[in-house]
Amino acid sequence: MIAEPLTRPAATHSDVVLRAVDITKSYGATQALKGVNFDVRKGAVTVLFGENGAGKSTLMKILAGVESPTSGHLELHGSKITLEAPTHAVDLGISIIHQELNLCPNLSVRDNIFIGRELKTPLGSVDYRAEHAIVQKLMVRLEEQIDPNTLVADLRLGQQQIIEIARALAADARILIMDEPTSALSATEVGVLFKVIQDLIDDGVAVVYISHHLEEAIEVSDYAVVFRDGELVATEEAKNIDLAWVVGKMTGRDAEYDFRDEPRNYGEVALSVQNVSMVDPTGAGRLSVSGVSIDVREGEIVCLYGLMGAGRTELVEALAGREPVAAGRVLLGGIDLRGRSIGERIAMGIGLVPEDRQRDGLVQMMSVGQNASLASLLGVVKNFLLSRSRELRNVEQQISDLQIKTAGPAAGITSLSGGNQQKVVIGKMLLTEPKVLLLDEPTRGIDVGAKGEIFSLLFREAAKGRAVLFVTSEISEALTASHRIVVMSKGRIVREFDPRTSTREEVMAASGESEIGTHPIGEDQ
Amino acid sequence: MSASAEASKTIKANKKPFNLNGVLIEGRALIALILIIIVFSLLSPNFLALDNFIIMTRHVAMNAILAIGMLMVILNGGIDLSVGSTVGLTGVIAGSLLEGLSIPVLDVFLYPAVWVVIVISLAVGVLVGFINGVLIAKFKVAPFIATLGMLYVARGVALLITDGTPFSRLSGEPALGNTGFLDILKSSPLGLPLPVWSMIFFALIFALVLGKSAFGRWLYATGGNERAAELSGVPVKKVQIGVYVLSGLCAGAVGLLLTGDLSSATPAAGQFFELNAIAAAVIGGAALSGGRGTIRGTLIGAFVIGFLVDGLVIVGVSQFWQQIIKGAVIIIAVALDQFQQTLEKRRSIRTVTASIPPTPPRNENRNPLTSAGTS
C-alpha cells in the first residue's frame, strides 16, 4: 500500500480490469486481510506470492464471489460491483480454479464442465450434443485425450485439475484466477498449462496466479504481488524481480518470536521412526512416504518442513495411528507401536494435534471444557462415573496454563477465536500427559500473536521432557521455533538442518520450493 | 492479568443466553405437552382423572423405553429400524420358553424358571442389537439398511418360532416351577404399573450413562464429530456397537412388558413401534445428524405423542384424523427446531462479529516467552 505509487509499473489505467479497493476480511477475531488494494490487468499474469495464511487465498475467494469482504469493495471496468455468489462472478466473466478440487466425482467430465450453466435446447432440455462438442474442443486445446463421457472419479488427480481449468475456459472467463493449479500436475501437464495461459493472455484475458513453486510462478508472471500477514507489501513488474527479491519480501520481517537460543537438554530417544513407508491411497502403487527415519529425543523440538503433498501429514497421521504403515517400524520409548489403536497410542504417550482444526480437532457442539477433556476422560473416572470436580480442575488448569481466552469451561467452543480453539486442541492432548506430541501445521489460520504463544507453549512443554514433532510449511517457523529441521520432499527426507546455522534459501531449496543456487534464475523469459 | 479480567467479564455476559438455549430447545416440547393437557382437559373432564392419567402413562411407558434406546442410536448419528421387530421376537422367545423348549435330539422338554426366561429374552434383544452394531461398525453397512434388513429378519424368525400362531399359555405350572411370569409383569407396586416403573428405571439409568459416564461423553463426541473423537482416542467402533446393543436391550424389555400386557406372545407384536420411538426422540429435540438430544427431552416427546393419541381417542376424533394430526405434530416440531437453530446461528454470528476489535491487538505480546514465563 505504502510503496505502491513508487513501485507500480508504468501501466496505463485502462489495463486494469478488476480492482479490489481497501478490502478487509475478518473471520471471528482473526483478520485475514487488512486493507488490501489490488489490481488485475488484462492480457497479463499477475502472480501472488506469500506464505500460508498471508491472505492470498482469501483475497481470491473474495474476487470470485465465494466470500464477501468485511469492508471495502470491488470495481470491474471502473464501476463498483457487489458479488452475491460465485455464479454471479462467473456471469461477469470471473472464474476461479480452487486449490481444492470442486468436482462431482460421480458425474461425467461433460456434466462437470457445464454444471450450473447447462446448455439448453429450444425445448428446454439439456443440449448434450452441443456440450459434448465444446468439451471435445476444449480437450484438444488442453492436449488431453479425455472422453467427455468419462466419470471424473476415473481420472487421475492431474487430469481432474485439467477439467477444472476446462470448466473455467468453457465459462468464457475474462478474468481467470488459478489457486495452486499445478500442485497435482506432472511436468508435461504444467507445460501444457503454461501454453494455455499464454494463449489466454494473447486473447486479452487477465490471469491471477498463485503457486508455492516460486520459480514456476516467477516464470509465468508479468506482475508480482507479495502478501504478508494479510497485507499487500509489494507490487513489481516481472522484469525487475528474482527469487531472492520474492523470498525477501515474503518473509521480510523477522518473526516476532525466536526460540533458537533456548537451552537444549535432550534425554533418551522418545520416538524412533525407522524406515517407514506408506502407500498413497489415491494413486495406485505410489508411495506417499518412502523410507523415512527420524529419531526425536525427550526435550527436543523437531520441525518437519516441506511443501504440501510432501508426505508430512501422512507420516504424522501414521504415527498417531490413523493411517496404516506399509513398511518399517515406529518405536515409542522402545516399544513397537504396530497394531495399536489411536486410543492405545494416546494412553502410551503419543498424540496428534491435527492439521484441520474444525474437521479433526474439535467437536463443535461441545463446550470448551468437554473438548479439552475428551482425550483424557478415563483418567477422571471414579466408580464407573466421571468425576466432574476432577475433570473441571484439569480443564481449568489448562485454561490458565495455556492462557486460553474464554468465558469458562462451559462456553461453546465455537465462541473462541482460531488461536484459542487451537490451544484447546493442544490442551486436550497435553491432558493425556504425552511423551511425544505431534502437531500438524499448529499455527494454520491463526494470527501472529497467537503463533508466538503456541510456540512458547511448545518450548515450555519440551523443557518438561516431552518430545515434539511439528509439521510446517512456513519457513520462518521452521527456522525460529525448532531445535532441528527435517526437510521432506516427495515422500522422502532430503536433508536435515540446524536452524542456528541455516538460511531460509538453503532450507527452501532443499524442500524443492525453489532451486536457488542450483541454476540461475533470470531475465531469460 | 488483563486476559483473565477480560475472561471474567465475558463470563457474566455469556452465561445467561447459554443456559436459555437449552431451556428453549426442550421447552418447545414441554409447551406442546402442556398445551395438549390443557386442551384435552377442557374437552373431556375424564382426561385428567388419576385413573386415566395412569392408563395413559402406561401407554406412554413402552414407547418411552424404546425411544430412550433409539436416542442412544440417534446421538451416534444412526437409526434403528429393527426395534419393533425385536419387540415381537423377544416376546415370542419368552412365550416359547414358558410353553416349554423342546430339544428333539435329547428328547427332552425344558421348562426354565421365570427369571431365566427374562434374562434369555433380554439377551436375545442384546444379540439383535449386537448384530446390528457389528454390521454397521465393522462391515460399514449404512445404519438404515442394516436395521431395515434386521427388521425383516427378526420378524421372520418370530414367525418361524411361532409358526404364525401366538403363545398364550404363559402362566406356567406349579409342578414345573415356572409360574409367576404374568404376575410379575402385571404387578403394580405402589399403585404404578410395572411398565411405568420400568420407564422410570430406564430413564434414570440412561440419564446417568449419558450425563456421568465416559461412554456418554464419547457418544456425544462421536455423534458431534467422529473424526475428532477418533483422533482423541475415543473407541468409536465400540461406542457404535454399544448404542445398538443398548437399543436392543430396551427393545427386549419392551417385548417382555408387551407380552405381559397382552397376556400372549404374538409374532406380530410391536409393528411400527420404531416409528413412534424415532418420533418421540425427534420431538424431544434430538438431531438425526447426531450429537444432540437428552433423555428428558425424549421422555417429553414420548408423552407428547402418547397423550396426543389417547386424548384424540377420548375426545372421539376419528382414526383417520388421528394419523394426520400425529404426523403434523412431528413435522411442526422438527420444522420449529430447524427454524430455531437458524436463529441461533445468526445470533452467534452477530455476537462474534460485534466482538471483533476495530484493530487487531497484534503487537501486544511481542515476546510471548517472557510473558508466559512470568505469569
Side-chain angles (χ1 to χ4, degrees), chain A residues 503-514:
Chain A
T503 64
R504 276 183 212 136
E505 287 77 8
E506 280 178 330
V507 180
M508 287 168 89
S511 76
E513 192 156 358
S514 64

Side-chain angles (χ1 to χ4, degrees), chain A residues 89-232:
Chain A
V90 172
D91 291 342
L92 292 173
I94 308 170
S95 280
I96 185 166
I97 298 167
H98 288 283
Q99 202 170 338
E100 304 92 16
L101 296 172
N102 279 316
L103 298 170
C104 302
N106 56 333
L107 297 181
S108 70
V109 167
R110 178 197 65 206
D111 293 346
N112 267 286
I113 286 176
F114 285 97
I115 201 161
R117 301 176 303 101
E118 287 80 4
L119 300 181
K120 297 283 167 65
T121 61
L123 292 174
S125 63
V126 178
D127 192 345
Y128 288 118
R129 206 179 300 166
E131 288 188 2
H132 196 96
I134 294 176
V135 173
Q136 275 180 327
K137 263 186 230 155
L138 283 170
M139 288 303 130
V140 171
R141 182 169 174 193
L142 290 168
E143 298 180 22
E144 277 290 335
Q145 286 168 341
I146 302 172
D147 184 86
N149 288 321
T150 317
L151 282 189
V152 163
D154 296 336
L155 298 179
R156 281 184 295 109
L157 207 58
Q159 291 178 312
Q160 296 187 12
Q161 188 69 270
I162 296 281
I163 302 304
E164 283 268 17
I165 293 163
R167 176 153 71 179
L169 296 181
D172 202 14
R174 300 309 295 164
I175 298 164
L176 182 57
I177 300 164
M178 299 180 165
D179 194 352
E180 294 275 358
T182 58
S183 55
L185 299 189
S186 69
T188 345
E189 288 164 336
V190 171
V192 173
L193 175 68
F194 283 6
K195 223 160 59 187
V196 172
I197 290 177
Q198 194 56 52
D199 283 356
L200 291 171
I201 295 170
D202 294 344
D203 285 353
V205 171
V207 174
V208 181
Y209 189 93
I210 301 177
S211 175
H212 272 105
H213 294 266
L214 302 183
E215 291 200 307
E216 177 192 293
I218 290 171
E219 191 188 321
V220 295
S221 70
D222 293 310
Y223 298 95
V225 172
V226 185
F227 277 77
R228 200 164 63 212
D229 297 332
E231 286 175 85
L232 193 158

Side-chain angles (χ1 to χ4, degrees), chain A residues 276-278 286-293 307 309-312 314-315 487-494:
Chain A
V276 161
S277 295
M278 295 172 67
R286 235 171 53 94
L287 293 178
S288 56
V289 172
S290 69
V292 165
S293 299
L307 290 177
R312 305 162 306 161
E314 290 81 354
L315 178 65
V487 178
M488 264 185 97
S489 175
K490 294 178 183 150
R492 295 176 183 279
I493 288 182
V494 287

Side-chain angles (χ1 to χ4, degrees), chain A residues 18 109 111 119 121 130 134 158 191 213 217 256 271 279 346 359 390 425 427 460 468 500 509-510 525:
Chain A
L18 181 65
V109 167
D111 293 346
L119 300 181
T121 61
I134 294 176
H213 294 266
E256 294 180 359
L271 173 72
V279 176
I346 288 175
R359 200 180 55 157
R390 269 201 244 171
V425 181
R460 199 181 63 202
V468 177
R500 288 172 298 191
Q525 36 179 304

Side-chain angles (χ1 to χ4, degrees), chain B residues 181-249:
Chain B
F181 180 74
L182 290 179
D183 299 334
I184 296 173
L185 290 170
K186 286 182 178 297
S187 64
S188 292
L190 301 175
L192 282 183
L194 190 72
V196 178
W197 283 115
S198 307
M199 172 180 75
I200 295 170
F201 175 78
F202 273 90
L204 288 177
I205 295 291
F206 279 77
L208 204 65
V209 167
L210 280 188
K212 300 254 179 205
S213 76
F215 177 84
R217 191 71 65 75
W218 287 344
L219 175 51
Y220 280 108
T222 47
N225 186 348
E226 189 177 330
R227 294 175 63 100
E230 191 183 12
L231 265 187
S232 302
V234 173
V236 289
K237 293 230 155 73
K238 284 182 190 157
V239 170
Q240 197 166 32
I241 294 174
V243 294
Y244 289 94
V245 166
L246 290 175
S247 177
L249 176 71

Side-chain angles (χ1 to χ4, degrees), chain A residues 26-42:
Chain A
S26 305
Y27 295 101
T30 318
Q31 266 206 319
L33 289 175
K34 303 165 183 170
V36 167
N37 289 287
F38 175 69
D39 293 344
V40 180
R41 291 177 172 80
K42 74 174 179 190

Side-chain angles (χ1 to χ4, degrees), chain A residues 26-31 34 70 229 231 253 256-259 262 317 320 322 342-344 346 352-354 357-367 369-371 373-378 381 384-388 391 400-401 403-408 410-412 414-415 428-429 432 447-449 452-453 456 459-460, chain B residues 1-4 6-15 18-19 205 208-235 238 287 289-293 341 348 352-353 355-375:
Chain A
S26 305
Y27 295 101
T30 318
Q31 266 206 319
K34 303 165 183 170
T70 309
D229 297 332
E231 286 175 85
R253 176 187 42 79
E256 294 180 359
Y257 44 84
D258 190 347
F259 302 98
E262 287 290 299
E317 290 196 341
R322 175 185 257 180
I342 298 176
E344 285 168 329
I346 288 175
L352 169 68
V353 174
R357 199 160 49 238
Q358 299 304 332
R359 200 180 55 157
D360 297 334
L362 299 169
V363 182
Q364 283 79 2
M365 288 180 188
M366 289 180 137
S367 69
Q370 287 171 332
N371 269 291
S373 66
L374 186 57
S376 55
L377 282 178
L378 289 180
V381 169
F384 301 107
L385 297 179
L386 298 173
S387 159
R388 279 282 159 83
E391 184 190 352
S400 80
D401 277 3
Q403 297 181 318
I404 299 172
K405 283 181 195 154
T406 168
T414 47
S415 69
K428 173 172 76 180
M429 275 306 145
T432 67
D447 59 41
V448 186
E453 287 181 40
S456 76
F459 274 83
R460 199 181 63 202
Chain B
M1 280 193 60
S2 68
S4 64
E6 214 178 278
S8 67
K9 226 191 300 166
T10 27
I11 286 182
K12 282 171 202 141
N14 274 3
K15 210 151 204 177
F18 198 74
N19 286 340
I205 295 291
L208 204 65
V209 167
L210 280 188
K212 300 254 179 205
S213 76
F215 177 84
R217 191 71 65 75
W218 287 344
L219 175 51
Y220 280 108
T222 47
N225 186 348
E226 189 177 330
R227 294 175 63 100
E230 191 183 12
L231 265 187
S232 302
V234 173
K238 284 182 190 157
S289 50
R292 187 164 61 90
Q341 282 184 33
S348 80
V352 169
T353 331
S355 70
I356 297 168
T359 47
R362 250 181 69 219
N363 298 333
E364 136 199 295
N365 245 352
R366 216 162 234 294
N367 194 339
L369 187 67
T370 51
S371 76
T374 50
S375 67

